[in-house]
């Protein structure tokens, strides 16, 4: 069953703790993305990676870090430096290759609540 | 950075009424994509428009790309309760794929 998986669906953490969100895809896609969604807001790009071992900052990268050691995996760490981490986090992937006609496929999301 | 404006933010309709959401950019777009997010779900790709003046239809949904490639619209004819959700446009300006810019979305509710 191909697709993108994110785990866990709901995550609770205490303020000041780092937390890592998982994103795995078996679509053989080169490109992967992390977005943050807040109520009434669109999707804001945190980080993206077009190829293994390479990634770029998006519009709101401060307080976040990522790694791309494997093609299938793109974990996102929400650090204690992120001032307002409570949000819905969406991972996406696309076939990549720099094509302007690339479309993105989204995972089910992780809802992070920092207490 | 680049921004794409999407209006309205919310739309409440009676089942059977039509619905339209609009996206506008101050600069020319390479292409525009539309996504739908059901309540509690994740965005799902609907369609992509690339050519100036392009019109595409999917059953009751009609998508348009402006002649100047600066605006786009999604029109739903005779809404149904299954149309409920938030509709996002996502604009691509060129360069790396990381430049896909999402509008804030239009949240559609349909009263049966």
């Amino acid at each position: 069953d191909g697709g993108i998986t994110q785990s866990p669906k709901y995550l609770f953490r205490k303020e000041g703790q780092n937390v890592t969100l998982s994103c795995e895809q078996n679509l053989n896609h080169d490109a992967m993305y992390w977005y943050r969604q807040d109520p009434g807001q669109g999707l804001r790009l945190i980080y993206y990676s077009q190829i293994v071992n390479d990634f770029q900052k998006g519009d709101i990268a401060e307080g976040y870090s990522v790694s791309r050691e494997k093609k299938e995996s793109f974990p996102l760490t929400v650090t204690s430096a992120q001032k307002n981490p409570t949000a819905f986090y969406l991972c996406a992937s696309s076939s990549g290759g720099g094509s302007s006609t690339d479309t993105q496929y989204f995972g089910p999301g992780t809802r992070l609540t920092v207490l | 950075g680049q921004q794409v404006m999407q209006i309205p933010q919310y739309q409440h309709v009676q089942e059977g009424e039509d619905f339209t959401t609009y996206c506008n950019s101050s600069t020319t777009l390479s292409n525009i994509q539309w996504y739908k997010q059901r309540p509690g779900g994740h965005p799902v790709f609907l369609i992509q428009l690339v050519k100036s003046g392009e019109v595409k239809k999917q059953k009751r949904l009609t998508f348009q790309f402006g002649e100047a490639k600066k605006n786009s619209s999604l029109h739903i004819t005779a809404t149904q309760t299954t149309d409920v959700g938030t509709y996002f446009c996502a604009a691509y300006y060129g360069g790396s794929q990381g430049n896909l810019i999402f509008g804030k979305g239009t949240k559609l509710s349909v009263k049966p």
Side-chain angles (χ1 to χ4, degrees):
Chain A
D1 190 20
I4 304 174
T5 57
Q6 291 184 244
S7 61
K9 188 172 183 179
Y10 298 96
L11 188 56
F12 297 88
R13 279 294 182 270
K14 291 183 179 180
E15 192 173 345
Q17 290 181 332
N18 290 357
V19 59
T20 298
L21 311 183
S22 166
C23 179
E24 304 280 329
Q25 55 99 359
N26 61 5
L27 300 168
N28 200 33
H29 284 170
D30 285 317
M32 297 186 74
Y33 314 82
W34 273 106
Y35 293 91
R36 170 181 172 139
Q37 186 175 33
D38 295 283
Q41 300 291 320
L43 280 67
R44 293 185 290 168
L45 183 65
I46 305 173
Y47 269 98
Y48 65 99
S49 167
Q50 292 188 318
I51 198 168
V52 174
N53 291 323
D54 187 49
F55 48 83
Q56 306 294 328
K57 291 182 179 180
D59 299 321
I60 55 166
E62 185 176 352
Y64 300 98
S65 66
V66 293
S67 63
R68 186 86 187 277
E69 297 177 0
K70 298 187 299 181
K71 187 175 185 178
E72 303 79 20
S73 179
F74 191 40
L76 172 74
T77 297
V78 185
T79 75
S80 56
Q82 168 50 232
K83 295 179 182 178
N84 186 19
T86 294
F88 188 46
Y89 290 88
L90 287 158
C91 179
S93 71
S94 67
S95 55
S99 168
S100 65
T101 59
D102 221 10
T103 60
Q104 297 188 9
Y105 297 84
F106 286 83
T110 292
R111 195 167 297 277
L112 173 64
T113 302
V114 176
L115 306 171
Chain B
Q2 302 282 10
Q3 282 189 327
V4 58
M5 303 302 295
Q6 187 173 357
I7 57 170
Q9 189 173 1
Y10 301 96
Q11 185 77 60
H12 309 283
V13 300
Q14 190 77 34
E15 189 172 21
E17 293 181 338
D18 292 356
F19 159 77
T20 305
T21 174
Y22 302 89
C23 275
N24 295 287
S25 170
S26 58
T27 55
T28 303
L29 305 174
S30 177
N31 64 56
I32 193 160
Q33 301 173 14
W34 286 91
Y35 292 78
K36 176 183 178 181
Q37 184 176 21
R38 295 182 184 275
H42 57 277
V44 174
F45 174 77
L46 293 176
I47 210 159
Q48 178 171 256
L49 304 171
V50 179
K51 299 177 183 177
S52 169
E54 190 169 16
V55 178
K56 288 187 177 180
K57 292 189 176 183
Q58 288 179 351
K59 297 183 180 179
R60 294 179 293 103
L61 278 61
T62 301
F63 304 84
Q64 291 188 322
F65 203 9
E67 292 290 340
K69 298 183 71 173
K70 290 184 178 181
N71 56 74
S72 180
S73 65
L74 157 59
H75 179 82
I76 301 178
T77 303
T79 55
Q80 300 175 359
T81 55
T82 54
D83 295 324
V84 164
T86 301
Y87 293 84
F88 292 97
C89 62
Y92 183 70
Y93 288 90
S96 73
Q97 186 60 34
N99 285 338
L100 191 64
I101 306 297
F102 281 81
K104 291 188 176 183
T106 296
K107 187 174 183 178
L108 172 65
S109 61
V110 180
K111 187 176 181 181

